[in-house]
Amino acid sequence: MNDSTERTLHAIRSSQGLRLLSVIVLVLLLQIPVALISGLVQERQERRQAAVDEVSSKWGKAQSITGPALVLPYTHRTTETVAGGQTVT
């Protein structure tokens, strides 16, 4: 009985298929936390976008960008000739 048990344990330990199966099971088990974290990241991205949209709707109204205006005083004079040959400024 002891000899058959040792042979079975040796076969299990040296089995490439069992090792491959155990690695696949571990990979699948570790995908659970990855899925939970990606769900959390997605939720936070949606919350950030909602906050950006809310702030933009309240503060992001139409804006006008103008540069400095230089105002110079001047006088525009015109001269006209009236019906008596007189010029009027």
Side-chain angles (χ1 to χ4, degrees):
M1 175 89 178
N2 193 12
D3 188 37
S4 66
T5 308
E6 286 181 21
R7 275 188 280 157
T8 307
L9 286 175
H10 179 67
I12 290 173
R13 287 183 185 148
S14 64
S15 171
Q16 295 296 325
L18 187 60
R19 288 182 183 181
L20 181 64
L21 181 67
S22 63
V23 167
I24 290 172
V25 167
L26 285 174
V27 166
L28 291 176
L29 283 175
L30 290 175
Q31 288 300 315
I32 295 171
V34 169
L36 293 174
I37 290 173
S38 67
L40 180 64
V41 168
Q42 180 67 27
E43 177 188 348
R44 288 188 179 177
Q45 285 176 343
E46 290 172 1
R47 185 173 294 186
R48 178 195 173 276
Q49 188 60 41
V52 166
D53 291 342
E54 181 183 356
V55 169
S56 296
S57 70
K58 292 181 181 179
W59 292 92
K61 302 203 183 212
Q63 299 176 0
S64 61
I65 299 174
T66 58
L70 180 61
V71 179
L72 299 174
Y74 70 95
T75 305
H76 182 71
R77 295 184 184 184
T78 59
T79 57
E80 294 181 15
T81 306
V82 244
Q86 298 176 350
T87 55
V88 177
T89 303

